[in-house]
Amino acid sequence: MKKLLLFAFLFYSISTIMFAQYAPGGDAPPISPGKHFVHIATPSNSTGNWTAIDNPNTNSNPTAKLFITHNYNASGSGVYNDHVSGLWYNSTSWTIFNEDGTPIIENSAYHILVADENQSTVFQHTARPSNINSNWTALTHPQLDGNPNARILVTQILIDTAANTYNNREIGVFYNGANKWAIFNENMDAMPNGASFNILILNNDNSILHTAVSGNIQGSTTKIDLPALNNNPNAIIYVTQTWNGGGAPGVFNTQKVSTYYNGTQWTIYNEDNSINMVEN
């Protein structure tokens, strides 16, 4: 794969809005406010490198399809978690864990979406030799195949049917020009056999394509200018990096990206605060 472009898909939800469904991007399910919430890692819900989620939509529900994005200041104070996050079901509850095995950061906060798994636009993908090419794994879905304008939200997951395979790398998505979308490792490491992902296909009503440019970059952050998000600290948003949304040539951003509300606007930022956001 050639150089990759940093874009970010934002799936955003606000408690007073129900989203319509239309193409492109598929028939993404309407979002009920009860399935969006914030989880904060505390000593009482955390053990080692993971923190257990306690929510009626996920408890004792091993088939739930969750999507997560770290948020810097949802806990009331700024907390970084410069580690790749994944999901794992521990027999009674879903957990968020650090892929590298380091202890979960106390007071780190996470936006969580519990998607309607009955919708055709919610599915799970496992990387296997038949769909792996170097650092990426190709997806197959009727609403993705041949659709370069699709928008995709992705979260890594451990599943026992794939030997609970870890993939401690920042991931993104791209359209490979051969009618397939794919998930790739930003640092170009080989995609592990068994790496697994929850996937949600979005549409124009519940997502935006944001590009980091000089006018919206400030240090390690890129500011989002959207009326539904501006001056709305209670919004819940999710981010997946993408290569060729919009069709522009690309650059790498190997950093873990998360969300941050700066007092007036939501931003996407590099968890390693010493590294500036990559232009374009």
Side-chain angles (χ1 to χ4, degrees), residues 48-247:
N49 69 320
W50 54 270
T51 175
I53 300 166
D54 182 10
N55 185 273
N57 290 301
T58 61
N59 293 344
S60 301
N61 185 3
T63 67
K65 300 298 186 292
L66 280 66
F67 298 84
I68 59 171
T69 292
H70 178 239
N71 173 247
Y72 173 75
N73 51 351
S75 62
S77 59
V79 178
Y80 292 97
N81 185 28
D82 191 16
H83 304 278
V84 177
S85 298
L87 289 167
W88 167 62
Y89 188 73
N90 72 355
S91 77
T92 58
S93 61
W94 282 97
T95 72
I96 300 168
F97 70 95
N98 287 336
E99 293 263 3
D100 60 5
T102 58
I104 201 76
I105 308 298
E106 185 175 348
N107 288 325
S108 58
Y110 305 85
H111 291 174
I112 298 177
L113 162 65
V114 186
D116 181 354
E117 59 190 295
N118 294 317
Q119 293 284 329
S120 63
T121 49
V122 182
F123 65 104
Q124 208 163 72
H125 173 82
T126 296
R128 293 301 190 193
S130 61
N131 59 44
I132 293 173
N133 187 334
S134 184
N135 69 316
W136 53 272
T137 173
L139 305 175
T140 297
H141 190 281
Q143 294 186 43
L144 294 180
D145 298 345
N147 181 8
N149 296 317
R151 297 183 180 179
I152 310 170
L153 188 68
V154 180
T155 289
Q156 301 206 64
I157 183 173
L158 293 185
I159 52 176
D160 54 9
T161 55
N164 291 316
T165 302
Y166 288 80
N167 183 39
N168 181 31
R169 293 118 179 142
E170 178 71 4
I171 59 170
V173 298
F174 77 105
Y175 188 70
N176 70 3
N179 298 321
K180 291 291 185 181
W181 279 89
I183 300 169
F184 69 92
N185 288 331
E186 289 269 6
N187 66 359
M188 299 298 291
D189 281 357
M191 180 64 66
N193 179 17
S196 299
F197 310 89
N198 284 343
I199 299 165
L200 175 61
I201 305 171
L202 306 171
N203 62 36
N204 287 350
D205 251 8
N206 57 19
S207 65
I208 63 169
L209 181 63
H210 174 82
T211 306
V213 296
S214 58
N216 61 39
I217 291 174
Q218 184 174 3
S220 64
T221 73
T222 172
K223 295 180 288 186
I224 305 162
D225 187 9
L226 189 73
L229 296 181
N230 295 343
N231 300 302
N232 185 359
N234 296 319
I236 299 180
I237 66 175
Y238 307 87
V239 178
T240 295
Q241 297 199 71
T242 181
W243 171 35
N244 50 351

Side-chain angles (χ1 to χ4, degrees), residues 217-222 270 273 275-278:
I217 291 174
Q218 184 174 3
S220 64
T221 73
T222 172
N270 288 334
N273 192 40
I275 298 177
N276 286 343
M277 180 58 65
V278 181

